[in-house]
Amino acid sequence: MTGTRASALLLLGMIACVLGDVIVPAEVLRMGARLLLVAYLAAEWRKMAVNAKVMVGLAIGLTMGAAVAGTADPVKVIASSLDTGAFFATFFANQFFLREAARTSPLVSRCSTFFVNQTPGRRYALLTVGGYLFGIILNIGVLSLLGIMIKHRNSLEAAGGNEQIRDIRERRMVMALLRGFSITPLASPLSISLAVMLTALPSLHWSSMLPLGMATGAMILGLGWVQDRIQAPAHLRHLVPPTEPTRDLAALGGVAGLVLLVFLMALVFEWLLGVPLSRAMLVSTPLVGLGWLASQYLEGGIANGSAAVAHRVVTQAANTFPAYRTEIAILSSAGFIGTLFSAMIPPETLGALIASPLLPPVILPALAILAVVVPALIGINPIVSVTIIASALRAAPGLPLSTESLALGLISGWCLAINSSAMTASAMLLGELVGKPAKTIVLGWNGLFTLAAFAVLTGWLTILSRLTQ
């Protein structure tokens, strides 16, 4: 058995254990998930990126610290931390089933063509919505899918031979895509950010967080659209060749329907199994993904179609799961560190810090945003900052602001980190696709928008904190 196949089997085994524990809770399944997670990380250690190795190293260091620092019941705390790490890893890996189905779906191809083949003003609006909707299903894969289409469609011929128009179109389309993708932490029911918050802060419920996140995300998209309209070069409008827009609202409705189906199925499992929504999502995501994939093989009959789906899933998982090594290491380590950290922090210490006169409640929303954005500027993944801070807040005996306000502030910081950090995978991927430095995209093209969004979000969260106290 090759090393990659063994790693894929380890990750599949961990997913099976975590899903089994959601459906029929059992200590033996939790123990299996812990062991398989550790085995997967060990198997992929040599090929991990440096930042992933640093995160795993920090997790090991904290484990040793918990063992010698007199933490109450260290074995139980470490086991609980591993459970959180396995949950985050499974939540991420489960997206494979949706991405694999989307990779060859005619619906996705139709929808992406619909987003790009539009007049300039409508194109921005549809691309930013597309970045959000496809970001829910494909995560960062949406940037490759739509980014490649932007590059192919934005030819010099399509711009009427005018290089200035081509460059402006490229900037506007890339900004629409990036800004739409950036709100997925805020407004996606399938996002890892929502799972992190609901896990780290048990007092939160999706029924309050998701509507607030979607409203906040809509504000960000609206701000981006307004800025695009203001900055659109009206003096070049007469030089833009006429475009016959594609009309395919059925494709857009189909993608939105898939997202809604995953969410509604999760609500059903939440009710049937009596588990939080984030855990119910672990069950609904692969079921919808496999059903979507199976629909592409209906012509071959049930038996042949099922065999084709099984063969494709096994083959692609063997290729894909080992490549998840860096993301799995970072996510699982962040979950582990956050849970362990919150158990090691004396609650009275954290409570005293948050209640300090040096931190008046009015500035806490802005600080929550900056606590995620600033580390991201130097390459610290938002998942790390958000998980550790949220887990630490859980240990605080009392908060001067509502939990929803602080949680929304942290996720808003995640959104702005995607918009502003040249160290994020999204900025580097878009830079590579369009042949521009990542700094040019997030600072040169998007810097003014990020500052405006920070001001709007700070004001909105300050108002919200007063309304929800």
Side-chain angles (χ1 to χ4, degrees), residues 59 71 79 83 86 88 109 141 149-150 160 172 181 208 211 353 372 405-406 429 431 447 457 463 465-466:
T71 302
D83 290 341
F88 286 174
S109 177
M149 288 206 69
I150 288 171
R172 293 178 70 184
F181 171 68
S208 59
L353 175 63
V372 182
S405 298
L406 287 173
L429 178 57
L457 285 170
I463 294 170
S465 65
R466 294 180 181 274

Side-chain angles (χ1 to χ4, degrees), residues 261-276:
L261 180 60
V262 176
F263 180 62
L264 291 177
M265 283 188 68
L267 291 181
V268 172
F269 285 120
E270 179 187 32
W271 175 69
L272 287 175
L273 302 174
V275 296

Side-chain angles (χ1 to χ4, degrees), residues 348-369:
E348 61 275 7
T349 301
L350 187 62
L353 175 63
I354 295 175
S356 168
L358 298 177
L359 295 176
V362 70
I363 70 168
L364 287 179
L367 288 179
I369 296 173

Side-chain angles (χ1 to χ4, degrees), residues 40-297:
Y40 173 83
L41 295 176
E44 292 296 328
W45 172 262
R46 293 181 60 186
K47 297 179 182 178
M48 283 181 198
V50 173
N51 57 340
K53 290 182 177 179
V54 170
M55 288 296 296
V56 174
L58 286 173
I60 294 171
L62 269 179
T63 301
M64 298 172 65
V68 300
T71 302
D73 202 349
V75 174
K76 183 178 179 180
V77 169
I78 291 169
S80 176
S81 301
L82 280 171
D83 290 341
T84 305
F87 166 66
F88 286 174
T90 302
F91 198 95
F92 175 81
N94 256 4
Q95 303 300 314
F96 160 79
F97 297 99
L98 288 175
R99 294 173 197 166
E100 183 57 27
R103 188 168 63 86
T104 54
S105 171
L107 179 66
V108 171
S109 177
R110 284 170 50 199
C111 206
S112 54
T113 300
F114 171 58
F115 291 146
V116 175
N117 288 351
Q118 302 293 336
T119 56
R122 187 184 298 173
R123 185 191 304 126
Y124 179 95
L126 286 171
L127 268 176
T128 202
V129 170
Y132 161 59
L133 276 179
F134 277 173
I136 295 174
I137 296 174
L138 303 175
N139 201 288
I140 199 170
V142 65
L143 302 182
S144 295
L145 174 70
L146 295 182
I148 289 171
M149 288 206 69
I150 288 171
K151 190 67 177 175
H152 287 171
R153 302 277 180 174
N154 190 38
S155 63
L156 191 60
E157 180 183 359
N162 190 310
E163 288 193 14
Q164 186 181 10
I165 290 177
R166 183 182 64 177
D167 291 344
I168 290 171
R169 285 174 54 159
E170 179 180 77
R171 187 187 73 236
R172 293 178 70 184
M173 287 192 285
V174 168
M175 288 300 92
L177 178 55
L178 177 63
R179 293 166 187 172
F181 171 68
S182 75
I183 72 160
T184 53
L186 277 166
S188 166
L190 315 187
S191 69
I192 187 68
S193 57
L194 182 62
V196 167
M197 284 302 169
L198 297 179
T199 302
L201 297 169
S203 61
L204 283 178
H205 194 263
W206 69 264
S207 59
S208 59
M209 275 304 299
L210 189 57
L212 286 173
M214 295 182 78
T216 306
M219 290 172 58
I220 297 299
L221 293 191
L223 176 65
W225 181 81
V226 169
Q227 186 190 48
D228 177 76
R229 300 300 293 172
I230 292 173
Q231 294 181 334
H235 65 287
L236 297 176
R237 191 170 297 163
H238 66 285
L239 299 176
V240 178
T243 302
E244 182 63 33
T246 300
R247 301 186 184 279
D248 197 353
L249 288 175
L252 179 61
V255 173
L258 281 167
V259 174
L260 187 60
L261 180 60
V262 176
F263 180 62
L264 291 177
M265 283 188 68
L267 291 181
V268 172
F269 285 120
E270 179 187 32
W271 175 69
L272 287 175
L273 302 174
V275 296
L277 180 73
S278 55
R279 294 193 174 272
M281 206 77 73
L282 295 180
V283 183
S284 66
T285 299
L287 287 179
V288 173
L290 289 172
W292 186 10
L293 188 59
S295 70
Q296 299 172 32
Y297 292 89

